[in-house]
Amino acid sequence: MDSQKFLRAAVLGLAGMLLAGIASAQSAADDANKAYSRKGADTCIACHDDAVSLAVFRTPHGVPTDPRSPFGHGQLQCEACHGGGDAHAARVRRGQERPPVIRFGSDMPDAVGVQNGMCLECHDGSVGFGWHGGPHDNDEVACADCHTSHATLDPVLQTGTQPDVCFDCHQLQRSETLKAFSHPFFEGKMACDGCHAPHGDSPDTTFARQTLNDTCYECHAEKRGPYLWEHAPASEDCGLCHSPHGSNHPGMLTARAPLLCQSCHSQDGHPSIAQEADGLAGASMPSQYLLGQSCLNCHEQVHGSNHPSGSKLMR
Ligand code: HEC
Ligand code: HEC
Ligand code: HEC
Ligand code: HEC
Ligand code: HEC
Ligand code: HEC
Ligand code: HEC
Ligand code: HEC
Ligand code: HEC
Ligand code: HEC
């Protein structure tokens, strides 16, 4: 541990206490709170030798040989995150309250700004500029609401366990992913960060890529085209026909054909008004082509066609 840092911390603490003589006793406690303990982690471990506390040494944060790590040379160890703990670690009189250190999670009394500030001290670069003013920052979500710093494997960084972390707050999306057809979240093959940038990509998008479609193309490259014959809605917004979190219709469609198609296509030219039991509207004979795949029986290239005569998306 860097003795200079501790000296500075101790001096600050002392100055705080002197000042407090003039001001209120409360601010004396506040200032003393900011002083760092003398022996770093050893001070803390004297009381906090439980499994959860000690687990921090088995995380990427507990690497003494990494000078950037809280436990690297010259760093403040436990107090790099929890803030100065000298007063907290001191003996308290019976009946007196132990001055707290910074605790983490938006349900804790410490302001989220203060908590996140401790992490950003080292991670401003890693979360990127999209974090600041993004939806999570704006709504005072704490880093620790998603990240578990005392777990060997941080659940939000594991594909299989990440969705559950998000579902803590995003119940609506949870119910969508439980529908009959969804991306393979529960097989552990994919997580929310396949499409979303959890720290925000820029202040106005939480997608992993600039646009929604670019995000989908990342894994569904064959849908990017360019097609000889484009189907306008597909190149515009995959979300016009698909519910990305899940749906009760096969293929995660927002509706089944023919309803899906008829939400945009009128019966001009090709008769495509709501399907009657006896076939295509206006047709004299029942059409077996409207069973099953409905419109898709004929218009099967619904994302676009590269066939010279595919203008009607039929091949
Ligand atoms: C003398 C024993 C002692 C020492 C030394 C000590 N603590 Fe504590 N700590 C406690 C007790 C007891 C609590 C339980 C809450 C209370 O009484 O305020 C606690 C609570 C905490 C909490 C909140 C846990 C919770 O359940 O909410 C954190 C975080 C914490 N200590 C961190 C530290 C750090 C970091 C250090 C080293 C700078 C440290 N402690 C040193 C006794 C100690
Ligand atoms: C003293 C600097 C420092 C502080 C303070 C700090 N970190 Fe880190 N953090 C690091 C370093 C160093 C690494 C390892 C980075 C690497 O290996 O590239 C790291 C890694 C991480 C990782 C990646 C872990 C993994 O399993 O890959 C996460 C997530 C993280 N920190 C979150 C946090 C959060 C949340 C806080 C606040 C509660 C915090 N950090 C506070 C320095 C710090
Ligand atoms: C909404 C949940 C969420 C919040 C809030 C959040 N993170 Fe993350 N963080 C993630 C996820 C998910 C990842 C996995 C990598 C990715 O998809 O970008 C991650 C990755 C990281 C990493 C590792 C980056 C790497 O490339 O290895 C660090 C460091 C980190 N976060 C720090 C923070 C800090 C600091 C804060 C608070 C300012 C924070 N995170 C807030 C979800 C979150
Ligand atoms: C990288 C930042 C970081 C470091 C370093 C760190 N902690 Fe924590 N600590 C946290 C966060 C964040 C939480 C909230 C729970 C979690 O994420 O696991 C926490 C929670 C705790 C708790 C409460 C646990 C509970 O049961 O709720 C205690 C006690 C604690 N830390 C003590 C320590 C001690 C002792 C050290 C040093 C050996 C230490 N911490 C080092 C970030 C850190
Ligand atoms: C502690 C609660 C909390 C957790 C955990 C959380 N979020 Fe959020 N999230 C929010 C809040 C609050 C907002 C802003 C209000 C809103 O749009 O619902 C938000 C907004 C979002 C948005 C953007 C909504 C928009 O309007 O642009 C996305 C996307 C998102 N979260 C994804 C995630 C993902 C992915 C995770 C897990 C890695 C996650 N969230 C974890 C609370 C949380
Ligand atoms: C296949 C891509 C994809 C995946 C994976 C994904 N999302 Fe989304 N998410 C989207 C799209 C597209 C939108 C915007 C359209 C919408 O609201 O349905 C969105 C919107 C959101 C919103 C904002 C909704 C609103 O009302 O503004 C939240 C919150 C969210 N997603 C959370 C999650 C969570 C949590 C997960 C992980 C279980 C997740 N998403 C996985 C594509 C995805
Ligand atoms: C991180 C990769 C990834 C991203 C990004 C992604 N998907 Fe997927 N998608 C998958 C995987 C994996 C499957 C399952 C494939 C399988 O089971 O063969 C899938 C399946 C699908 C299916 C077929 C579902 C079924 O029941 O047959 C649709 C439709 C789909 N994705 C639409 C989208 C849309 C729309 C987007 C953009 C909002 C998107 N995907 C973004 C990975 C991704
Ligand atoms: C006009 C409505 C519509 C739009 C827009 C649309 N799709 Fe589809 N998509 C469908 C239909 C209908 C199916 C089911 C096809 C079938 O069952 O043969 C489907 C199936 C899929 C499938 C699974 C079967 C396959 O062909 O691989 C994926 C993946 C997919 N779409 C991705 C996308 C992506 C990515 C976008 C945006 C570029 C997109 N879709 C836009 C209607 C649409
Ligand atoms: C979100 C609205 C929307 C949905 C849903 C939609 N389409 Fe389209 N479709 C369009 C637009 C816009 C065009 C381009 C019309 C034009 O260029 O005149 C188009 C063009 C077409 C064409 C080529 C028409 C021509 O004259 O070249 C066919 C065939 C077609 N759609 C079939 C379908 C089928 C089948 C479905 C259901 C799976 C469907 N569409 C769903 C908006 C939609
Ligand atoms: C039995 C095969 C078949 C089925 C089923 C079918 N279509 Fe068509 N559709 C065609 C053919 C053939 C054309 C080309 C007509 C032409 O060129 O005049 C066409 C043309 C179209 C066009 C272009 C219309 C225009 O003005 O040129 C649209 C849009 C369309 N169909 C939508 C639909 C929708 C929506 C459904 C489901 C309700 C559907 N089709 C079902 C065979 C079919």
Side-chain angles (χ1 to χ4, degrees), residues 23-299:
S24 71
Q26 179 56 44
S27 76
D30 283 351
D31 289 335
N33 256 347
K34 295 186 186 109
Y36 293 91
S37 67
R38 252 144 301 229
K39 284 196 260 153
D42 288 345
T43 308
C44 313
I45 292 169
C47 296
H48 297 285
D49 58 354
D50 56 293
V52 174
S53 298
L54 296 180
V56 79
F57 293 110
R58 294 194 304 275
T59 70
H61 281 128
V63 184
T65 50
D66 180 348
R68 305 164 306 153
S69 152
F71 295 94
H73 179 71
Q75 298 282 3
L76 292 163
Q77 308 199 345
C78 313
E79 293 160 280
C81 293
H82 288 287
D86 193 40
H88 170 83
R91 192 197 297 267
V92 291
R93 284 211 204 90
R94 191 191 290 271
Q96 205 185 357
E97 246 183 75
R98 183 173 295 280
V101 289
I102 295 172
R103 281 166 295 168
F104 292 93
S106 55
D107 54 344
M108 289 295 171
D110 304 278
V112 168
V114 171
Q115 297 177 30
N116 290 1
M118 300 309 287
C119 312
L120 289 169
E121 192 72 36
C122 298
H123 287 299
D124 210 29
S126 23
V127 296
F129 103 109
W131 167 262
H132 301 281
H136 286 128
D137 182 31
N138 255 354
D139 262 272
E140 305 228 313
V141 174
C143 312
D145 286 342
C146 287
H147 291 289
T148 309
S149 299
H150 281 267
T152 324
L153 291 178
D154 181 349
V156 86
L157 298 179
Q158 314 299 316
T159 305
T161 45
Q162 179 187 104
D164 277 335
V165 176
C166 312
F167 292 154
D168 241 2
C169 300
H170 295 296
Q171 286 292 327
L172 178 67
Q173 281 69 31
R174 178 172 189 276
S175 64
E176 286 175 340
T177 57
L178 289 171
K179 290 179 175 173
F181 303 92
S182 77
H183 272 99
F185 299 116
F186 300 103
E187 294 85 331
K189 288 187 190 154
M190 193 175 168
C192 314
D193 62 2
C195 290
H196 294 291
H199 301 138
D201 182 48
S202 68
D204 50 30
T205 166
T206 50
F207 290 125
R209 293 286 170 275
Q210 267 306 309
T211 66
L212 187 155
N213 274 31
D214 282 343
T215 302
C216 309
Y217 297 150
E218 192 71 16
C219 300
H220 300 292
E222 78 287 355
K223 301 283 187 287
R224 184 195 286 275
Y227 294 106
L228 194 52
W229 306 102
E230 289 198 341
H231 191 195
S235 31
E236 190 189 319
D237 180 352
C238 313
L240 287 168
C241 296
H242 295 288
S243 305
H245 301 123
S247 145
N248 284 328
H249 307 297
M252 284 184 267
L253 292 169
T254 51
R256 284 173 201 261
L259 279 181
L260 172 70
C261 316
Q262 288 168 338
S263 66
C264 294
H265 290 288
S266 74
Q267 56 173 323
D268 290 355
H270 179 288
S272 62
I273 57 164
Q275 177 192 353
E276 310 281 336
D278 58 347
L280 277 171
S284 52
M285 296 287 286
S287 172
Q288 62 188 27
Y289 290 107
L290 280 176
L291 296 174
Q293 291 280 81
S294 179
C295 318
L296 295 163
N297 275 326
C298 302
H299 303 290

